[in-house]
Amino acid sequence: MSKTAILEYDGKKYEFPVIVGSENEPAIDINKLRDLTGAITLDPGYKNSGSCESKITFLDGEEGILRYRGYAIEDLAAKADFLEVAYLVIFGELPTKEVLAQFETDIRKYTLVNEEMKNIIDGFPKTAHPMGVLSSLTSALTAFNPKVVNVDNEKEMYEAVCKTMGKFLVIATWTYRKMMGYPLNYYDNTKGYVENFMRLMFELPTGPYAKNQVVIDALDKLFILHADHEQNCSTSTVRIVGSSHAGLFASISAGVSALWGPLHGGANQAVLEMLEDIQKDGGDADKYLAKAKDKEDPFRLMGFGHRVYKNFDPRAKIIKKAADEVLATLGVNDPILQIAKKLEESALVDEYFVSRKLYPNVDFYSGIIYRALGIPTEMFTVMFAIGRLPGWIAQWKEMRVNKEPIGRPRQIYTGYPLRDFVAMDKR
Ligand code: SDX
């Protein structure tokens, strides 16, 4: 029996259909609301508004559940590798060994970035933040790959996916090489995707990158944990930019900019800077918890809280365990890990955080691992972008293949009513 919602407004009753998702989440379909009632809804930050139906990711914020295409994040992080999960997120099924091998081979067809892109990166000062450079370079890829993707042609769409996966990784590492004044490296098609990331980042002309499987495995897991997260800020940005039929590179470039913000992906860099400040200030976790609770103090506990998770972020649990393992394996004893754990321990029994259901999110521990792997703080959000790329691609593809309408929210105007123009000499 299909459910409906009854709205009583201005002396009349209106009935709206209720859509129920495959995990029994209900949504009131207000497609006809304004036509029927003359009213719109108002929901700043879209806390209660769904923008689409999607088959890619399911998360339950109350239960702390996250699944890509129905598979639990815990299983994927423990048993799959990043390209395997990227394929799953984008195309909907776990690939066979042969399909995965072909996917990696097809990505390798596009790992050479046009040399003229180097002229663009040379225009940036070394002090430019890597996320700003990455957003610009991603948009610039359109200039060298101008062909508009026919999203209804599976072959063309598949090639666009492989091209984006191949080129984005290379230009992402170029942002670091530019910052360090190092020459720009090339992808090595005889090596794996995540191993290439480390080579592209750290291999110098003076000698080969010494492969460390512990580091590669840790990064692979981190990229999996970041691969998608339904309609978060940057993914919604990719969708709405793509809804105007702007290209995939242009849409992802906008997603990179949205992710940069410290309330979103930029939080992983902000967490590390916060932990370093606390360490410099004597390591007093309780002092900073008090600052986070003080409404007069703009300080927030970065890496804590989430729009959807009102329970533990399942990714934070996995990353926290991985942080212990990776630092122990690498023999790294980083005091800020202890500060992070003390902050978490104190916050989880503090009424302010408990009553607001504020738990560690994906960004709280990830930076501690990145730092142990030798990734500089300024590159942490670029790491997030590399992990989130498959999700951005998958969501853009789903939106375009489903022929969703251009995104164009309404508003409630609260400015001046009509008024007469005032001549310059009368103002
Ligand atoms: C990501 O959406 C996604 O899925 C994102 C993401 C993904 O994978 O794409 O999961 C990645 O962006 C994770 C979030 C990273 N951001 C941070 O860690 C920044 C710190 N956190 C906050 O700024 C905040 O928690 C947000 C932005 C994450 C969520 O903000 P909301 O949902 O708009 O909640 P809010 O700001 O209205 O806060 C509700 C209350 C407020 O107190 P009251 O006004 O009710 O008294 O909780 C307080 C806030 O002041 N609060 C915090 C806090 N987060 C919320 N107080 C102190 N420290 C914090 N971190």
mmCIF file of all heavy atoms in Angstrom, residues 280-300:
data_model
loop_
_atom_site.group_PDB
_atom_site.id
_atom_site.type_symbol
_atom_site.label_atom_id
_atom_site.label_comp_id
_atom_site.label_asym_id
_atom_site.label_seq_id
_atom_site.Cartn_x
_atom_site.Cartn_y
_atom_site.Cartn_z
ATOM 1 N N LYS A 280 51.832 22.209 20.710
ATOM 2 C CA LYS A 280 52.732 23.355 21.000
ATOM 3 C C LYS A 280 52.309 24.070 22.289
ATOM 4 O O LYS A 280 53.110 24.621 23.027
ATOM 5 C CB LYS A 280 52.696 24.378 19.834
ATOM 6 C CG LYS A 280 53.514 23.967 18.619
ATOM 7 C CD LYS A 280 53.558 25.101 17.589
ATOM 8 C CE LYS A 280 53.763 24.523 16.169
ATOM 9 N NZ LYS A 280 52.630 24.839 15.290
ATOM 10 N N ASP A 281 50.977 24.008 22.551
ATOM 11 C CA ASP A 281 50.436 24.728 23.715
ATOM 12 C C ASP A 281 50.431 23.835 24.963
ATOM 13 O O ASP A 281 49.682 24.043 25.891
ATOM 14 C CB ASP A 281 48.994 25.190 23.361
ATOM 15 C CG ASP A 281 48.413 26.107 24.428
ATOM 16 O OD1 ASP A 281 49.228 26.731 25.149
ATOM 17 O OD2 ASP A 281 47.188 26.172 24.554
ATOM 18 N N GLY A 282 51.254 22.756 24.919
ATOM 19 C CA GLY A 282 51.402 21.917 26.109
ATOM 20 C C GLY A 282 50.571 20.655 26.117
ATOM 21 O O GLY A 282 50.607 19.870 27.065
ATOM 22 N N GLY A 283 49.758 20.428 25.045
ATOM 23 C CA GLY A 283 49.032 19.149 24.923
ATOM 24 C C GLY A 283 47.833 19.031 25.838
ATOM 25 O O GLY A 283 47.380 17.931 26.142
ATOM 26 N N ASP A 284 47.260 20.165 26.254
ATOM 27 C CA ASP A 284 46.129 20.122 27.189
ATOM 28 C C ASP A 284 44.799 19.964 26.435
ATOM 29 O O ASP A 284 44.172 20.946 26.019
ATOM 30 C CB ASP A 284 46.109 21.428 28.014
ATOM 31 C CG ASP A 284 44.966 21.425 29.024
ATOM 32 O OD1 ASP A 284 44.131 20.480 28.965
ATOM 33 O OD2 ASP A 284 44.894 22.353 29.848
ATOM 34 N N ALA A 285 44.395 18.718 26.245
ATOM 35 C CA ALA A 285 43.187 18.417 25.448
ATOM 36 C C ALA A 285 41.955 19.080 26.062
ATOM 37 O O ALA A 285 41.127 19.658 25.338
ATOM 38 C CB ALA A 285 42.996 16.915 25.343
ATOM 39 N N ASP A 286 41.855 19.045 27.408
ATOM 40 C CA ASP A 286 40.644 19.588 28.060
ATOM 41 C C ASP A 286 40.483 21.081 27.808
ATOM 42 O O ASP A 286 39.369 21.589 27.650
ATOM 43 C CB ASP A 286 40.689 19.296 29.563
ATOM 44 C CG ASP A 286 40.592 17.780 29.806
ATOM 45 O OD1 ASP A 286 39.974 17.094 28.945
ATOM 46 O OD2 ASP A 286 41.159 17.284 30.794
ATOM 47 N N LYS A 287 41.605 21.798 27.726
ATOM 48 C CA LYS A 287 41.546 23.258 27.449
ATOM 49 C C LYS A 287 40.892 23.491 26.098
ATOM 50 O O LYS A 287 40.040 24.377 25.941
ATOM 51 C CB LYS A 287 42.965 23.823 27.462
ATOM 52 C CG LYS A 287 43.059 25.287 27.021
ATOM 53 C CD LYS A 287 44.509 25.759 27.049
ATOM 54 C CE LYS A 287 44.661 27.150 26.425
ATOM 55 N NZ LYS A 287 46.105 27.557 26.352
ATOM 56 N N TYR A 288 41.199 22.658 25.139
ATOM 57 C CA TYR A 288 40.665 22.862 23.777
ATOM 58 C C TYR A 288 39.236 22.334 23.653
ATOM 59 O O TYR A 288 38.439 22.861 22.887
ATOM 60 C CB TYR A 288 41.618 22.256 22.747
ATOM 61 C CG TYR A 288 42.804 23.169 22.541
ATOM 62 C CD1 TYR A 288 43.896 23.138 23.400
ATOM 63 C CD2 TYR A 288 42.785 24.144 21.544
ATOM 64 C CE1 TYR A 288 44.949 24.013 23.269
ATOM 65 C CE2 TYR A 288 43.842 25.032 21.396
ATOM 66 C CZ TYR A 288 44.911 24.972 22.260
ATOM 67 O OH TYR A 288 45.951 25.862 22.135
ATOM 68 N N LEU A 289 38.901 21.342 24.453
ATOM 69 C CA LEU A 289 37.491 20.916 24.473
ATOM 70 C C LEU A 289 36.636 22.060 25.010
ATOM 71 O O LEU A 289 35.557 22.353 24.473
ATOM 72 C CB LEU A 289 37.309 19.689 25.367
ATOM 73 C CG LEU A 289 37.652 18.330 24.762
ATOM 74 C CD1 LEU A 289 37.233 17.226 25.727
ATOM 75 C CD2 LEU A 289 37.002 18.110 23.410
ATOM 76 N N ALA A 290 37.160 22.749 26.028
ATOM 77 C CA ALA A 290 36.415 23.885 26.618
ATOM 78 C C ALA A 290 36.260 25.001 25.589
ATOM 79 O O ALA A 290 35.178 25.584 25.444
ATOM 80 C CB ALA A 290 37.157 24.392 27.848
ATOM 81 N N LYS A 291 37.283 25.228 24.811
ATOM 82 C CA LYS A 291 37.204 26.266 23.749
ATOM 83 C C LYS A 291 36.147 25.871 22.713
ATOM 84 O O LYS A 291 35.358 26.674 22.248
ATOM 85 C CB LYS A 291 38.563 26.419 23.058
ATOM 86 C CG LYS A 291 39.615 27.181 23.826
ATOM 87 C CD LYS A 291 41.006 27.092 23.181
ATOM 88 C CE LYS A 291 41.060 27.705 21.797
ATOM 89 N NZ LYS A 291 40.920 29.186 21.758
ATOM 90 N N ALA A 292 36.112 24.569 22.369
ATOM 91 C CA ALA A 292 35.152 24.094 21.354
ATOM 92 C C ALA A 292 33.717 24.268 21.848
ATOM 93 O O ALA A 292 32.803 24.496 21.059
ATOM 94 C CB ALA A 292 35.424 22.631 21.040
ATOM 95 N N LYS A 293 33.521 24.211 23.171
ATOM 96 C CA LYS A 293 32.170 24.308 23.731
ATOM 97 C C LYS A 293 31.749 25.762 23.972
ATOM 98 O O LYS A 293 30.575 26.061 24.164
ATOM 99 C CB LYS A 293 32.125 23.535 25.059
ATOM 100 C CG LYS A 293 32.235 22.031 24.864
ATOM 101 C CD LYS A 293 32.760 21.283 26.081
ATOM 102 C CE LYS A 293 32.178 21.620 27.378
ATOM 103 N NZ LYS A 293 32.680 20.740 28.467
ATOM 104 N N ASP A 294 32.727 26.662 23.958
ATOM 105 C CA ASP A 294 32.463 28.075 24.290
ATOM 106 C C ASP A 294 31.892 28.799 23.075
ATOM 107 O O ASP A 294 32.573 28.973 22.060
ATOM 108 C CB ASP A 294 33.784 28.733 24.739
ATOM 109 C CG ASP A 294 33.597 30.209 25.060
ATOM 110 O OD1 ASP A 294 32.466 30.730 24.863
ATOM 111 O OD2 ASP A 294 34.585 30.845 25.471
ATOM 112 N N LYS A 295 30.622 29.189 23.182
ATOM 113 C CA LYS A 295 29.956 29.841 22.050
ATOM 114 C C LYS A 295 30.648 31.151 21.665
ATOM 115 O O LYS A 295 30.525 31.616 20.539
ATOM 116 C CB LYS A 295 28.484 30.121 22.397
ATOM 117 C CG LYS A 295 27.618 28.875 22.428
ATOM 118 C CD LYS A 295 27.529 28.229 21.058
ATOM 119 C CE LYS A 295 26.914 26.856 21.098
ATOM 120 N NZ LYS A 295 27.309 26.028 19.942
ATOM 121 N N GLU A 296 31.351 31.742 22.615
ATOM 122 C CA GLU A 296 32.044 33.023 22.326
ATOM 123 C C GLU A 296 33.359 32.773 21.583
ATOM 124 O O GLU A 296 33.973 33.682 21.056
ATOM 125 C CB GLU A 296 32.341 33.768 23.647
ATOM 126 C CG GLU A 296 31.100 34.107 24.469
ATOM 127 C CD GLU A 296 30.009 34.790 23.637
ATOM 128 O OE1 GLU A 296 30.330 35.765 22.924
ATOM 129 O OE2 GLU A 296 28.863 34.299 23.630
ATOM 130 N N ASP A 297 33.784 31.520 21.593
ATOM 131 C CA ASP A 297 35.078 31.180 20.971
ATOM 132 C C ASP A 297 34.815 30.522 19.608
ATOM 133 O O ASP A 297 34.096 29.524 19.526
ATOM 134 C CB ASP A 297 35.835 30.206 21.888
ATOM 135 C CG ASP A 297 37.272 30.005 21.440
ATOM 136 O OD1 ASP A 297 37.512 30.056 20.213
ATOM 137 O OD2 ASP A 297 38.149 29.810 22.294
ATOM 138 N N PRO A 298 35.378 31.105 18.536
ATOM 139 C CA PRO A 298 35.137 30.545 17.194
ATOM 140 C C PRO A 298 35.781 29.164 16.989
ATOM 141 O O PRO A 298 35.489 28.486 16.018
ATOM 142 C CB PRO A 298 35.769 31.576 16.263
ATOM 143 C CG PRO A 298 36.784 32.297 17.082
ATOM 144 C CD PRO A 298 36.249 32.299 18.489
ATOM 145 N N PHE A 299 36.606 28.725 17.946
ATOM 146 C CA PHE A 299 37.305 27.439 17.786
ATOM 147 C C PHE A 299 36.324 26.277 17.728
ATOM 148 O O PHE A 299 35.385 26.192 18.520
ATOM 149 C CB PHE A 299 38.257 27.223 18.976
ATOM 150 C CG PHE A 299 38.938 25.872 18.958
ATOM 151 C CD1 PHE A 299 40.068 25.660 18.167
ATOM 152 C CD2 PHE A 299 38.425 24.794 19.687
ATOM 153 C CE1 PHE A 299 40.684 24.417 18.128
ATOM 154 C CE2 PHE A 299 39.033 23.540 19.654
ATOM 155 C CZ PHE A 299 40.163 23.347 18.877
ATOM 156 N N ARG A 300 36.498 25.398 16.748
ATOM 157 C CA ARG A 300 35.713 24.171 16.671
ATOM 158 C C ARG A 300 36.660 22.997 16.739
ATOM 159 O O ARG A 300 37.804 23.092 16.292
ATOM 160 C CB ARG A 300 34.942 24.089 15.339
ATOM 161 C CG ARG A 300 33.681 24.909 15.342
ATOM 162 C CD ARG A 300 32.655 24.383 14.359
ATOM 163 N NE ARG A 300 31.315 24.730 14.821
ATOM 164 C CZ ARG A 300 30.208 24.357 14.186
ATOM 165 N NH1 ARG A 300 30.299 23.618 13.102
ATOM 166 N NH2 ARG A 300 29.023 24.679 14.649
#
